[in-house]
Amino acid sequence: KEFKKTIKDASVEDLKNNLSELNKNLVETKFAVSLNQIKNNSDISKIRKQIAVLKTELNNRKLLKSN
C-alpha cells in the first residue's frame, strides 16, 4: 500500500526510472532463483506486481494528458 501511495506522488520521470530498476531486479531475481541462490521465489511475483502497478499508473497519466 505504501508503494501505491508513493507512486501517486512521483513524477513521470521517477516512475520510468523505477520501472527500469524493477525490470533489472526481476531479471536478476529470476537468474538467482534459477541458480538456487534464492530459495524463496515469491519475490518474482512481488516484483511483477509492482511493475504492473507502475505501468498502469504511467498509462493512466498518458491517457489523462491526451484528454
Side-chain angles (χ1 to χ4, degrees):
K1 290 184 178 183
E2 280 185 36
F3 182 72
K4 289 182 180 180
K5 287 180 183 177
T6 57
I7 288 174
K8 298 288 183 192
D9 299 333
S11 68
V12 173
E13 200 61 36
D14 288 339
L15 293 178
K16 288 180 181 179
N17 290 337
N18 287 341
L19 182 60
S20 65
E21 188 175 315
L22 282 173
N23 280 323
K24 182 180 174 189
N25 287 345
L26 180 62
V27 170
E28 290 173 355
T29 304
K30 282 183 177 182
F31 188 68
V33 167
S34 70
L35 294 177
N36 292 326
Q37 293 175 347
I38 298 176
K39 301 209 185 239
N40 185 6
N41 60 359
S42 67
D43 291 342
I44 293 173
S45 63
K46 290 177 186 174
I47 295 171
R48 289 176 64 199
K49 286 177 185 175
Q50 289 178 338
I51 289 172
V53 170
L54 279 175
K55 285 183 175 182
T56 301
E57 182 64 26
L58 282 169
N59 282 333
N60 285 341
R61 290 186 185 192
K62 190 160 84 171
L63 288 173
L64 287 174
K65 197 175 201 181
S66 65
N67 286 340

